[in-house]
Amino acid sequence: MIHACTLGLHRHVFPDLKAVLAKASPARSGDMLAGVAAASEEERMAARLVLADIPLAHFLNEAVIPYEDDEVTRIILDSHAAGAFLPVAGLTVGEFRDWLLSDAADTASLAALAPGLTPEMVAAVSKLMRNQDLILVAAKCSVVTRFRNTLGLPGRLAVRLQPNHPTDDPRGITASMLDGLLYGAGDAVIGINPATDSLPAITALLRLIDDFREQYAVPTQSCILTHVTNTLRAIDQGAPVDLVFQSIGGSEGVNSSFGVSAALLDEANAAARELGRGTLGNNVMYFETGQGSALSANAHHGVDQQTIEARAYGLARRYQPLLVNTVVGFIGPEYLYDGKQIIRAGLEDHFCGKLLGLPMGCDICYTNHAEADQDDMDTLLTLLGVAGINFIIGVPGADDIMLNYQSTSFHDALYLRRVLDRRRAPEFEEWLEKMRITDYRGELLAQNSQYPLLGLAESIQETP
Amino acid sequence: MSQKPAILTPDPWQQLQGLTRARVALGRAGVSLPMREVLRFGTAHAQARDAVHTALDVDLLANELQADGFKTLAVHSQAADRATYLRRPDYGRRLDPASSGRLADNGKNLWPTRPRLAIVVADGLSSLATSSHTRAFLAALRAHIPDLSTQPLVIATQARVALGDEIGHALGADQVVVLIGERPGLSSPDSLGLYLTAGPRPGLNDAQRNCISNVRPEGLPYAEAARKLAFLIDGARRLGRTGVDLKDDSDAPVLAAPETATPFPPTLNRLEIPA
């Protein structure tokens, strides 16, 4: 369907919905690389003016990637809950933005609405929202998930402890893991990006964390971030798999480039649930996403990278995951050029995921060839904290020596807890106090050798 | 004089620092990073940034390599400057018209016999890696290929790995090896990557190359990298191709290049082509 508007002397014409969405998107390098971005600032505003007047219901009739061609589109449209959509069914995208900011949209009504929204509706409205709008609305959303602890409760912030090591050395990994735990991190998951995909190595890492977790009765979950097929094989072999990890994207093509499909994810989700290892709940999936992956896989269908990213969340919610992590600054400057673009993308992803009912976290990160630095990360960290993010990443000193990029540190999480009064997952908080890592307020205690984890740290060094 | 009060809270698990290069046991000022660590981190980031943005001194490198007996030719990609290079990886994979002309006009004069191996020395994402390691690495490679300096040596700027395909093709080379600065890590601003491609021509993909990564004294030493590359060059000649079918049976692992030079998470390994 053709959309058009006149601004001054210029008539701006957009051939279809995906063109309106792409040109309404805030500027970013990936959309320019794909050739879908607005050619001028006026054209961007023209697209926004057009977008604001498009009825939300239109999104159910015009798919940005055809239903016949794409599994993700089919999942999005087939799972759309018409009843849940009713409260906003008569609104345009622009009116929807106002409704989201209004008092009619509270935590309960937003949760009830989530299954009635499609990713494209959510992406569309985000393009009409300023950063403060994205923060305000996301902060009203609450998404709580459970495995061995409870994540996403109001006033809480969790941390994925990411003790990566370039050669998967068990002592090196343990050193980073203990460092993180002694800083009170690890309630979201203890998750390792392995250097190798070999099954024996994956299994060894799973046992390394699981043995530790069992011995110290840590109320958290572990994950080795390997391909879903490896995790399925590990499950077959009886390895202690808590969560199934997979990178996913917002089109069938990008998922196929990742070597996954909905059928494969269905199988993995069922296999992990069947293990019944969660003590408080059975959210077993951990997904990672990031704007730009579809373009990188040449599977973007002319859709802008932020809309495609929201579609990945449409796939993710089929599985009621424990964690969804947008790895926002990892992909590089050809997709998100600088701190401004990374910050905007992080806020968009968090907002879109939350509105769709997902437990969103963010790897607040950058690479050394992006125009970004620690100040940009501090800004995004603070903004996402205010927006009520479920979890962030914790890496020793923010320097991931395996993946060669900068994420957030254990200290960063403590900063956020202090300035925003955010506590850890309740079960984990209790454990930290029992282990004398924190006091009753959640503040770190000075350690001494009599405390169990420091005792363990001292014993590792003595191993030859 | 009063004594300074203890400001920092040290982490009494500093012995863990012996087990990993990760920044563990940093201690804290309140809940924040101590000043010393903030400065240490900032310095590492500054060096990595400079490695990305410092232009390769082509004349200096050419003079040095000529002193080592090579004939050299300088080319440029279609990315006019670093900002364009970072935004448009596709431009970095194609020669600018002037360079194409130079290769066509001068290539045959400089290297009249059909080359077995074209050597492309490229800035990539770290000119520091290229300027620091090229000479020493090529000297090490000469131990395996005595007539190395008779082969074409092209210095390419604002270049991605695939630029070597067009250069190798223009020179009619059997194989091309691209020496290129890899995306700098915080503690490794000068990592050199080596990409070997048989039958270079435009339009190849990264699965058709072999990659040796992290060449630098603190990573994979020159002699070791040269031995592995010589092994792959031999293997590719016998097999007639490079890529996933060419396995490195030398003792250290060589990866069939996935899409990246630096080890990306297997989970996200299709997201970016860094060089």
Side-chain angles (χ1 to χ4, degrees):
Chain A
M1 181 178 157
I2 291 178
H3 307 270
C5 89
T6 302
L7 276 180
L9 296 175
H10 296 127
R11 178 140 180 92
H12 296 275
V13 180
F14 308 96
D16 51 21
L17 182 60
K18 74 180 176 189
V20 177
L21 289 169
K23 289 175 187 296
S25 230
R28 66 205 53 192
S29 49
D31 289 338
M32 295 178 207
L33 183 61
V36 301
S40 67
E41 292 303 325
E42 186 182 282
E43 188 186 27
R44 194 185 322 281
M45 284 315 300
R48 287 180 186 169
L49 287 163
V50 165
L51 182 59
D53 286 339
I54 295 178
L56 281 181
H58 178 75
F59 286 76
L60 300 173
N61 299 322
E62 186 181 351
V64 294
I65 304 176
Y67 184 91
E68 299 72 27
D69 299 348
D70 191 274
E71 176 177 78
V72 178
T73 303
R74 291 194 289 278
I75 286 168
I76 289 167
L77 291 176
D78 293 350
S79 67
H80 180 250
F85 181 53
L86 281 177
V88 297
L91 304 183
T92 63
V93 179
E95 290 164 345
F96 183 43
R97 179 261 180 199
D98 291 342
W99 183 87
L100 285 170
L101 293 164
S102 77
D103 293 339
D106 58 18
T107 303
S109 61
L110 286 170
L113 177 65
L117 297 176
T118 67
E120 290 85 350
M121 294 176 192
V122 170
V125 76
S126 79
K127 295 174 196 298
L128 302 179
M129 296 169 78
R130 286 168 45 193
N131 286 0
Q132 67 163 272
D133 302 346
L134 299 174
I135 292 168
L136 192 155
V137 176
K140 294 198 274 189
C141 296
S142 169
V143 182
V144 177
T145 56
R146 293 180 179 86
F147 191 78
R148 283 197 195 93
N149 56 26
T150 311
L151 300 171
L153 291 169
R156 306 274 174 171
L157 169 79
V159 176
R160 168 190 162 192
L161 174 43
Q162 182 171 303
N164 294 344
H165 187 276
T167 60
D168 292 340
D169 176 71
R171 290 199 299 162
I173 285 173
T174 306
S176 290
M177 181 170 75
L178 288 177
D179 192 57
L181 290 166
L182 287 163
Y183 269 88
D187 40 358
V189 61
I190 301 173
I192 301 171
N193 298 83
T196 165
D197 275 338
S198 96
L199 191 58
I202 300 293
T203 307
L205 291 175
L206 281 166
R207 292 202 193 286
L208 175 76
I209 312 182
D210 200 61
D211 289 350
F212 168 81
R213 187 193 57 75
E214 285 275 339
Q215 190 183 344
Y216 289 88
V218 196
T220 191
Q221 35 283 330
S222 65
C223 188
I224 307 302
L225 284 74
T226 186
H227 194 266
V228 62
T229 50
N230 286 331
T231 304
L232 275 169
R233 288 197 296 157
I235 291 175
D236 276 347
Q237 295 195 358
V241 171
D242 288 345
L243 305 182
V244 176
F245 167 81
Q246 185 55 48
S247 282
I248 57 169
S251 75
E252 184 175 329
V254 64
N255 288 319
S256 140
S257 84
F258 288 148
V260 298
S261 63
L264 184 58
L265 296 173
D266 289 352
E267 181 190 345
N269 184 34
R273 281 177 187 246
E274 203 167 302
L275 296 176
R277 290 171 58 84
T279 48
L280 296 184
N282 219 1
N283 302 112
V284 297
M285 301 298 279
Y286 172 8
F287 292 119
E288 284 192 353
T289 65
Q291 292 190 23
S293 64
L295 175 58
S296 175
N298 199 21
H300 61 97
H301 300 266
V303 179
D304 70 89
Q305 66 184 36
Q306 190 257 330
T307 300
I308 286 259
E309 171 72 6
R311 284 168 51 95
Y313 307 151
L315 174 61
R317 66 176 171 178
R318 174 183 177 91
Y319 303 99
Q320 298 157 324
L322 184 77
L323 306 162
V324 177
N325 180 25
T326 171
V327 188
V328 72
F330 187 80
I331 191 160
E334 60 267 47
Y335 302 93
L336 294 168
Y337 188 68
D338 56 14
K340 181 178 173 73
Q341 294 185 8
I342 292 172
I343 288 165
R344 174 73 195 182
L347 292 175
E348 289 167 347
D349 293 351
H350 177 253
F351 163 83
C352 289
K354 280 282 173 74
L355 210 54
L356 290 167
L358 288 172
M360 290 307 291
C362 183
D363 189 346
I364 298 159
C365 63
Y366 66 106
T367 57
N368 288 319
H369 62 322
E371 290 295 320
D373 60 19
Q374 292 299 100
D375 289 337
D376 297 308
M377 298 302 105
D378 289 345
T379 303
L380 182 54
L381 173 70
T382 307
L383 295 178
L384 285 173
V386 175
I389 191 141
N390 281 32
F391 68 98
I392 59 172
I393 303 297
V395 177
D399 175 13
D400 190 309
I401 57 169
M402 189 326 237
L403 298 175
N404 273 327
Y405 77 122
Q406 285 91 259
S407 182
T408 41
S409 66
F410 307 131
H411 298 74
D412 289 331
L414 295 179
Y415 148 77
L416 211 55
R417 297 191 187 292
R418 189 161 275 190
V419 293
L420 296 176
D421 193 22
R422 292 282 193 267
R423 304 188 66 124
R424 300 171 180 88
E427 301 82 0
F428 192 77
E429 185 174 59
E430 201 176 300
W431 177 81
L432 287 174
E433 200 183 327
K434 208 164 65 191
M435 299 293 286
R436 310 195 67 177
I437 294 170
T438 58
D439 65 16
Y440 70 98
R441 298 163 306 166
E443 298 286 340
L444 292 184
L445 287 171
Q447 287 291 302
N448 75 53
S449 302
Q450 272 69 58
Y451 295 177
L453 237 48
L454 188 60
L456 175 63
E458 286 169 350
S459 74
I460 296 180
Q461 188 212 13
E462 290 155 16
T463 317
Chain B
M1 284 273 287
S2 64
Q3 242 188 335
K4 280 185 189 171
I7 298 169
L8 296 177
T9 308
D11 292 334
W13 53 91
Q14 283 163 18
Q15 75 278 7
L16 295 182
Q17 289 171 344
L19 304 178
T20 175
R21 285 196 294 113
R23 293 171 194 248
V24 298
L26 297 175
R28 52 196 168 88
V31 299
S32 303
L33 286 166
M35 185 75 260
R36 188 172 36 192
E37 169 57 20
V38 172
L39 293 172
R40 184 170 78 109
F41 185 108
T43 304
H45 185 235
Q47 287 167 344
R49 298 275 299 151
D50 285 347
V52 172
H53 289 279
T54 302
L56 182 65
D57 189 335
V58 175
D59 292 341
L60 178 65
L61 186 58
N63 287 338
E64 289 175 351
L65 292 170
Q66 284 161 14
D68 293 344
F70 289 94
K71 289 184 233 170
T72 68
L73 189 69
V75 298
H76 200 281
S77 79
Q78 287 183 9
D81 50 38
R82 189 93 310 206
T84 310
Y85 175 83
L86 291 172
R87 282 191 177 87
R88 296 298 301 256
D90 49 335
Y91 290 178
R93 299 188 188 112
R94 294 196 299 260
L95 285 171
D96 71 357
S99 296
S100 298
R102 253 198 323 280
L103 264 182
D105 297 345
N106 303 344
K108 286 279 185 294
N109 296 334
L110 285 168
W111 304 289
T113 49
R114 178 185 169 85
R116 297 194 314 277
L117 179 72
I119 304 159
V120 175
V121 176
D123 50 0
L125 284 166
S126 170
S127 64
L128 180 64
T130 313
S131 59
S132 306
H133 305 315
T134 297
R135 264 187 113 176
F137 170 73
L138 289 177
L141 188 61
R142 240 172 166 161
H144 302 271
I145 308 174
D147 66 344
L148 189 68
S149 63
T150 64
Q151 302 300 306
L153 194 151
V154 176
I155 300 173
T157 42
Q158 308 299 1
R160 304 262 170 183
V161 172
L163 193 69
D165 297 342
E166 196 175 336
I167 296 169
H169 184 67
L171 295 168
D174 297 337
Q175 300 179 359
V176 62
V177 60
V178 180
L179 283 54
I180 191 165
E182 297 183 323
R183 195 189 77 188
L186 211 54
S187 48
S188 54
D190 63 337
S191 244
L192 191 71
L194 314 175
Y195 288 79
L196 182 69
T197 310
R201 60 194 179 281
L204 296 180
N205 67 46
D206 289 329
Q208 292 163 289
R209 317 182 195 289
N210 292 82
C211 164
I212 299 169
S213 187
N214 196 26
V215 179
R216 58 195 187 106
E218 301 81 6
L220 188 66
Y222 304 134
E224 185 62 11
R227 194 179 63 74
K228 291 155 72 62
L229 180 62
F231 183 93
L232 286 172
I233 288 171
D234 260 5
R237 194 163 294 146
R238 275 183 272 110
L239 191 66
R241 59 185 179 275
T242 43
V244 286
D245 296 334
L246 173 59
K247 303 297 180 203
D248 176 28
D249 298 325
S250 71
D251 48 15
V254 171
L255 304 174
E259 307 232 323
T260 64
T262 40
F264 275 88
T267 59
L268 285 168
N269 62 6
R270 287 168 192 277
L271 290 191
E272 198 210 5
I273 300 165

